[in-house]
Amino acid sequence: CSDALVSFLEKSGLETQKAIVQQLMSSSSGDAIHALKAKLASLETVRYMKDSHVTEIATTLKHDELVQFLRGATPDIRDAVLNKLPQDLAIEVSEEIDMVEPVGRETYVSIERKVLNKIKMLANQGQLNLAELNERMFANEFGFDNTGEVEASDMKKVG
């Protein structure tokens, strides 16, 4: 899976990711999909991370950067981050989000890059398993499940 494709998908929204992954699923080997899952660190991934990882990422940003990032983020990403932060920090930040000016694209992209780099750093340190997070994201968002395993919930339906 090319680094250019991974880079493009990191910057893409969920719908674009979904369309490209569906195309890959139908035209590529499983190896390409596996490589993509192992490398892809997008903002969408945040929704599937542990609270502690999201908090660690958020606290590596300066406070005003966190507020600007959440101000510029999509509502889904903003809500996911706020729900995973410690309650006192989430309340403080959410009060500030509405008070700051809209964030310029250049500023937002710069902060977004810091977030993505921190996700990659956690993955490189073995603290975060991108393949596992993306597997869950692809299954939940795109309806893809390559595991072939029967889940306990599926077994209840059979009986």
Side-chain angles (χ1 to χ4, degrees):
C1 188
S2 79
D3 289 341
L5 177 60
V6 172
S7 179
F8 174 76
L9 288 173
E10 285 175 356
K11 298 174 185 119
S12 301
L14 195 56
E15 288 306 311
T16 302
Q17 287 179 2
K18 184 177 182 177
I20 290 173
V21 168
Q22 285 175 329
Q23 187 65 37
L24 276 174
M25 294 285 285
S26 64
S27 65
S28 298
S29 70
D31 291 344
I33 295 297
H34 183 72
L36 175 65
K37 288 178 183 174
K39 290 182 182 179
L40 181 61
S42 71
L43 292 184
E44 300 300 334
T45 317
V46 169
R47 299 185 311 159
Y48 296 92
M49 288 182 190
K50 293 179 181 173
D51 295 4
S52 59
H53 291 140
V54 174
T55 299
E56 184 173 345
I57 291 165
T59 55
T60 60
L61 298 174
K62 294 178 187 151
H63 186 79
D64 62 322
E65 287 178 327
L66 176 59
V67 172
Q68 290 175 326
F69 171 70
L70 293 174
R71 174 81 162 117
T74 63
D76 283 354
I77 300 299
R78 182 181 317 121
D79 292 346
V81 172
L82 289 173
N83 287 331
K84 291 176 178 284
L85 292 178
Q87 189 175 8
D88 55 339
L89 178 59
I91 291 169
E92 180 184 334
V93 170
S94 43
E95 289 172 353
E96 293 178 42
I97 290 171
D98 296 329
M99 296 190 301
V100 297
E101 292 292 317
V103 181
R105 173 133 179 83
E106 199 172 297
T107 301
Y108 177 78
V109 169
S110 170
I111 300 168
E112 179 185 76
R113 179 64 34 212
K114 288 181 181 182
V115 170
L116 294 175
N117 287 340
K118 183 63 178 179
I119 292 171
K120 290 176 186 176
M121 192 166 75
L122 289 172
N124 290 338
Q125 293 170 345
Q127 295 180 42
L128 203 61
N129 184 334
L130 284 177
E132 184 182 291
L133 289 172
N134 284 317
E135 184 71 46
R136 287 204 331 253
M137 181 175 79
F138 286 16
N140 289 347
E141 301 296 336
F142 308 158
F144 300 139
D145 183 10
N146 292 357
T147 61
E149 295 174 16
V150 177
E151 294 182 17
S153 61
D154 295 332
M155 298 196 40
K156 290 176 194 161
K157 296 174 192 166
V158 174

